[in-house]
Every structure is written in C-alpha cells, then in structure tokens.
Amino acid sequence: MAVSEEAILRSELRWTIVVTGTITVIMVAILYAGIVHHINPPSNIETVDPKTLHLTGEFTEENLGTSIDAGGQITARMVATQFAFQPQCILLPANKRVTLRFASPDVIHGILVTGTNVNTMIVPGYVSQVHTVFTRTGDLLMPCHEYCGLGHSQMWATVRVVPEAEFKPDGSGRALCDAR
Amino acid sequence: MTHARRLTLAHLWLAFAAFAVACVLGVWQMWARSPLPAPLLTANAYFTSVTAHGVAMAYVLTTFMVMGFGYYVAETALGRPLPFPRIAWLAFLVGILGVAMAVVTIFGGTATVLFTFYPPLTASPWFYIGLVLVVAASWAWCGIMIAAMAGWKRENPGRPVPLAMFATVANAVMWLWTTVGVSAELVFQVIPAAFGWNLGIDVGLSRTLFSWTLHAIVYFWLIPSYIAFYTMAPQAAGGRLYSDTMGRLTFILFLIYSLPVGMHHLFMDPQQSNAFKFLQMSLTALVAAPTLLTVFTITASMEIAGRLRGGRGLFGWIAALPWERPMVLATGLAFFMLWFGGGGGLINMSYGMNAMVHNTSWVTAHFHLIFGGTVVIMYFAIAYAIWPTLTGRTPASLKAQRVQLWLWFIGMMVLTLPWHYLGLQGQWRRVATFNYADPIIAAWGPWVLVSFAGGLILLASAGLFIWNLLEFHRARAVAFSALRPLYAVAVHPPARVPAALNGFALWNVLVLVLMIAAYGYPIAQAFWINAPQAIIHRVDGRG
Ligand code: HEM
Ligand SMILES: [Cu+2]
Ligand SMILES: [Cu+2]
C-alpha cells in the first residue's frame, strides 16, 4: 500500500480536529442547558437522620403531603420506605413551580414521574430535593426505581396534578389527595 | 499444549458456560416482565435470577474472558513462555472458589441484592467474599501481565512492545486502579456490616466508592474487543493496521479517562455537589475521543484491506471485504451497534438529560446493546479466531459461525430497540412484574413482547455458539501451519517509539493526579459532613 507516513499523519490530524470540534459542541450544549435553562441535577447535600425521621422534624406524619408556606412556596414532602410511599398520593397544581422533598428511613430508593423529567435517588441519610413545573394535569405514576427489596415491584405512588384554579389548600396551608 | 493455552481454554470455557446459563435466565426475566404469565414467577425467583444473571454476565463472563485472552496474548504476541504459570493456575482455582461461593449464596436465597453493591441492603458476607476472591484472582493476572511485558522489554531493549500486549497491560494497570474503589467499599464498609460488626453505614460514601469502579469496569470488559479491532480484524481482512501509534494513544486515553468519571452514575444522587458532577461529566465527554479515534483507524485499516482486494471507488472497498470471515463480519456488526450504543451513551452522560433516563429501562437497554452487543459479539469472534490454535482443530465450514453472529446481532437489535423506547416512556428497571391493569403500563405490553422475542433469538444464538465451540474439539484435525498469524502489522511498523508510548509509568502519575482532583474531595467530604448512618438491612435472614 502506498500510503506515506506523512499522509497518514495528516489524515489523523484532520480527524482529531473533527473529534475535538464534536466534543466541544456537545459540551457547549450541556453548559448552555445548565446555565441558561437551569437544567441541573438534584444536588442539595442536606442530611437527615434515618433513625429519627418519623419522630422529629420535617418528615413527621403531620408534615407529609403538600403544603404552601406564607411566601406562597409549594412543597410536597414524602417518605419512601420498604415498600410504600407516605403519603401514597400527592396533590399539586399545574403550571406552578413546586418543590418535591424525599427522605428514606431504611434503604436506598429512587423515584421518577412518568412523562416528566422528575428523577432522583433517595439515599438514607440525605434529603433529596427536586424543583419542577408540571404542565400536564391528571394522575401521574411515580414508581420507586431503585431495587429496595423483594417488594420493590409493588412500590409506587401517584402525583395528582390539578389545574391551578382547583388547587385549594386548607386553612393551615395543606392540600391532600383525599381531601378533595 | 503450553501452560498458557491450557489456561486460556480453562478460563474461556468457564466464562462461556456462565454466559450460556445466564442467557436462559435473561430470557425468563423478559418473559416475567411481559404481559404473558411466566412459569415459576415470584418476586424472590425474579430477583434471585437477576442477581445471578448480572453476576454471571458482568463479573464471571468478563473477568475470565479478559484473563484467559490476556494469557493467550502474553504468550503469542510476545513470543515467549508465560511467566509464573503456577500462580496463574492458583489464581484460576481461587476464582472458581469465589464463583462457587457466589452461586451457593445467590441460589441459597441469601444474596438477592443484585450485582451492584448498594448497602444498607446487604447480602450474606460469603457472597461478597466470593466476589472479592474473583477480584483477587484478577489481581494476580494483572501482576503476571505486567511481569510478562517487563520480561520481554528486558530481552528486547528499545523495541516497541507489540500493540496487543501493550493494550493488555494497559487494561491490567487500569483494572488495578479501578478495583480500588469497590475494594475499599467492600472491605471497610459492606463486609463488616454483613458480618454484623457494624450496625450502621454511611450510604453516601459507599455509593461514591462504588462509582469509582463503575465506569472503568466497563472499559475493562471492552478492551479485549478493542484489541481485536486493532490487531485481529485488519489481519483477518487481509490488510494492515493504519497506525500503530494511534492504537497506543487510544489505549492510553482509555487508561486515563475511564477512571475520574464514575460520578456520572451519581448525577441523580443527593450527596454530591453539582460542581463535582459537572467536572466528572466534562471528563466523561473526553472518553468519546478514544472511541472516535478507533472508529477512524479501524475504518481506514479496513479500507486498505478492501482496496488491496480490488475494491474501488468511495465505497466499493466495503463490498470487497471478506465478509465471510467471522472476525470481519463481527467487526462490522459490532461497529453498527457501537453507533447506536455510543449515541445512547452521550444522552446518559449529559448531566441534564440524564434525568430523563436515569434508572429507566433505557439504561438496561443501553448496556445490553453496547456490552451484550458490541463487546460480546467480539468475544465470540475472538473465541472463533483463537480456538483452532488451542485445539488444533477447526470445522470444515464457517457457516454456522456466521449464522450465530448474525443471530446475535438481530436478536440484540430486536431486544434493545423497544426496551430503549419503553425507557423513554418511563418504564423503570429492576421490576419483576408490572401492573398491566394500569392503562399507561398496558400500552407497554406489546413492546415488551417484541423484546422477549429478541431474547429468544439471542438464546438460539447462544446455544449455537456453544455448539460451535464444541466443534473445535471434535472436528477433523488441521495442521497448525495452516493457521494464519493473528495480529496485524502496521502500514509503517515503528522501529522505535518514545518511552511514553511503550510503558505506563508517566500515565500512572497522571491518573493519580486526576483521581485526587476528581475523587479526593467527594470521598473526603464524608468525614466532615458526617451524614447520619443508615441501619443495615440484611437479606440473609440473620439480621
Ligand atoms: C439472552 C439475552 C439476554 C436477555 C434476554 C437479557 C435480559 C435481561 C433482563 C430482562 C434483565 C433484567 C432487567 C431489569 O430487571 O430491569 C437483565 C439484566 C442484566 N443483564 Fe441481561 N439479558 C441478556 C443478555 C445479557 C448479556 C449478553 C449481558 C452482558 C454480557 C447482560 C447483562 C446484564 C446485566 C449486567 C444485568 C443486570 C442489570 C441490573 O441489575 O439492573 N445480559 N437482562
Ligand atoms: Cu423502593
Ligand atoms: Cu459509566
């Protein structure tokens, strides 16, 4: 084969430029999404003690579900535990910025909400937090997506998204699925 | 037969036996996930099966394939006897003992924790110790590979180490780095917990340590396939390797960039900051480089072969390639799957887009395509290429081998394309049974059935593969001289190469620096965040 060493080197240099260009484009796209559209993964590094989760603090039973604070911030809190979520259903308004907060008293779980980009691991010892805006109304499926034991396949919850007008928290600022 | 060849046969038979059994389990798992009623299905049976399938495919098939092939390359590419054969046999026995311990604990029902080590869910300690023994065996292999290369260099001062061996040692060095993370997790956290010596565990730390291993381990599985791309495929096609230097550079880049990137498996985790997730994502983007360089070099090498065989025009050389040779065919099919799999990988690594696919069926489909597809089809091709040199026998016709490779390719496409699609629809992974009464899930049913059909095609291919291997033992004998040499020569074989491209000392320093930068803080933070510990949950009925 009459390919000279110089020709090979030249072709490789050209290809290296193509590769560098491709990788640069990908990086710029990701940077753009992160900085301009605030597409960032859940990374709040906030700890919570799995052993006392149900006894004190924000994840005790009366605090679970959706609540709206004085500033109008809407937050839904859930506990993921072998093999159910508490509560089993959360009620949220469409087209409003909402915060989801999760904790686990036992093993690792995780959630996604079908048809959306809501996704996080739930690691015992830490609080997982996701900000999102739901644009579609209806009952969305929220399964546990990390293997957590033999009952894992039966572990799921419902996210009930209602039009903003129908989202009516009670006097204490709380909104529950079955209260409707 | 030399020691190295007997070692290779023993390792490869163990690898492929585990593979064949695991394929049966894989098909049953897809059946369980489909709307059809699967026999024997309980949650316990499903997760026992997925644990066994994952361990067999990810740890047994791969580790023994890499080791067996490494012994073979060390002897044939260097042209000298394998050093320390007794240690190699001892390591093999330790590895078998480890596999046996894993099998007994998994099927005894005390290790249904799947193949990933994610405490506080904890199996029997003997499950983990068994897998540590498999890793220990692979460490002995790493030592032998490094010693073989050092011995050759002493006898051949100044000469470039043959590419196949250079790549094998790159893999051995990388594997020593790779296993540091999981070993630390097992030895300091998981095994003490499994014995009941610790009641709590820092889960954020254990996930971070496991992630250290989780990406580079994939390259450990992949490198034999890349060695075949660079050395065996151009040779089988009747051509030459376009560039030896590019090959060396590729394997060095794999060594460097496969390690400081594992945190891309933790994008959705709460215990690490965006800063380090972003840093490791950027380094992940750079691992696209060695893959793209390989695509170029191998395509150019194949073009040389095609033109030497009379192919003309822009694409005429492709038709002129000897596709009837299994190694050439497998390389073509592997490249095809690599395009799909690589594209999927770019989505997984993108920091933001990862939220769309994390822990969905997309991920399982992705690694079946790239690992079960691209990597394993090259394992088949390697087996077909080296087996005649191990037994001295080869079947009269290679047709059954070609049919087997095509079936594997078609089966893999049919299995994984719908599986990817379901992941995008939100189907999640690691589930024994879906509630098909739910209207969203009901719509997934037909696609799972297509995947199930793909699984059946794969099973047929796996069966034919084993049959083909047996043919190498019972076919009419052929003379050794009839066998062509296995490794391609470069168009311009280098007479000398710089020391940096002939060894790994410099690169180890660079890896150390990168690992400290990428993982130093994320691991150290566990000691000042002091996250509350999680309570151990043992699945072996003792806790
Ligand atoms: C006969 C062909 C195969 C079929 C039908 C198949 C099917 C499956 C299924 C259904 C699962 C469970 C997924 C889940 O529960 O989400 C699975 C898991 C797995 N498969 Fe396969 N598989 C096959 C071949 C392979 C091959 C060739 C490899 C790699 C060499 C492989 C590696 C794995 C691994 C590592 C897991 C564990 C995944 C996890 O724990 O999430 N499989 N496979
Ligand atoms: Cu769960
Ligand atoms: Cu990875």
Side-chain angles (χ1 to χ4, degrees), chain A residues 5-21:
Chain A
E5 240 176 315
E6 290 70 51
I8 289 183
L9 198 64
R10 267 201 309 280
S11 70
E12 285 173 344
L13 280 178
R14 277 200 300 273
W15 180 249
T16 308
I17 293 170
V18 174
V19 171
T20 315

Side-chain angles (χ1 to χ4, degrees), chain A residues 11-122:
Chain A
S11 70
E12 285 173 344
L13 280 178
R14 277 200 300 273
W15 180 249
T16 308
I17 293 170
V18 174
V19 171
T20 315
T22 312
I23 295 176
T24 312
V25 169
I26 294 170
M27 286 300 296
V28 168
I30 295 169
L31 261 177
Y32 180 81
I35 294 169
V36 179
H37 294 297
H38 304 286
I39 299 182
N40 284 304
S43 315
N44 44 315
I45 318 192
E46 220 184 302
T47 61
V48 64
D49 192 342
K51 295 184 272 306
T52 55
L53 206 62
H54 57 295
L55 299 176
T56 77
E58 103 173 75
F59 288 97
T60 52
E61 203 177 337
E62 66 277 11
N63 287 331
L64 299 179
T66 309
S67 59
I68 179 162
D69 69 11
Q73 256 273 64
I74 300 167
T75 306
R77 293 185 179 80
M78 275 184 138
V79 168
T81 178
Q82 286 174 321
F83 299 100
F85 289 96
Q86 292 165 356
Q88 280 290 103
C89 172
I90 49 173
L91 185 74
L92 288 166
N95 303 318
K96 282 202 88 147
R97 193 178 147 86
V98 297
T99 302
L100 310 177
R101 285 170 69 78
F102 303 89
S104 161
D106 44 46
V107 300
I108 303 171
H109 304 270
I111 57 102
L112 59 79
V113 180
T114 51
T116 73
N117 282 344
V118 173
N119 196 323
T120 184
M121 298 303 300
I122 305 170

Side-chain angles (χ1 to χ4, degrees), chain B residues 363-390:
Chain B
V363 174
T364 354
H366 166 73
F367 71 72
H368 277 81
L369 181 57
I370 198 119
F371 168 34
T374 305
V375 172
V376 170
I377 208 167
M378 294 309 291
Y379 287 5
F380 298 149
I382 292 171
Y384 289 150
I386 71 178
W387 228 280
T389 73
L390 298 173

Side-chain angles (χ1 to χ4, degrees), chain B residues 1-8 71 75-76 81-82 85 89 390:
Chain B
M1 212 192 295
T2 63
H3 261 303
R5 291 179 191 211
R6 248 179 280 140
L7 273 165
T8 303
Y71 292 135
E75 195 191 52
T76 54
L82 183 76
W89 280 113
L390 298 173

Side-chain angles (χ1 to χ4, degrees), chain B residues 19 22-31 33 46-47 50-51 53-55 57-58 61-62 114-116 221 361 364 367-368 371-373 376 379 408 412 415 419 428-432 451-452 454-456 458-459 462:
Chain B
F19 158 80
C23 279
V24 178
L25 299 177
V27 173
W28 179 79
Q29 288 156 206
M30 200 45 97
W31 192 352
R33 292 166 63 91
Y46 185 82
F47 291 115
V50 178
T51 307
H53 175 86
V55 165
M57 292 297 196
L61 164 67
T62 50
L114 309 196
F115 82 113
T116 41
W221 306 333
S361 290
T364 354
F367 71 72
H368 277 81
F371 168 34
V376 170
Y379 287 5
W408 190 258
M412 209 33 100
L415 174 79
W419 211 358
W428 57 107
R429 71 192 275 195
R430 299 183 153 180
V431 180
S451 281
F452 179 40
L456 290 170
L458 289 168
L459 187 59

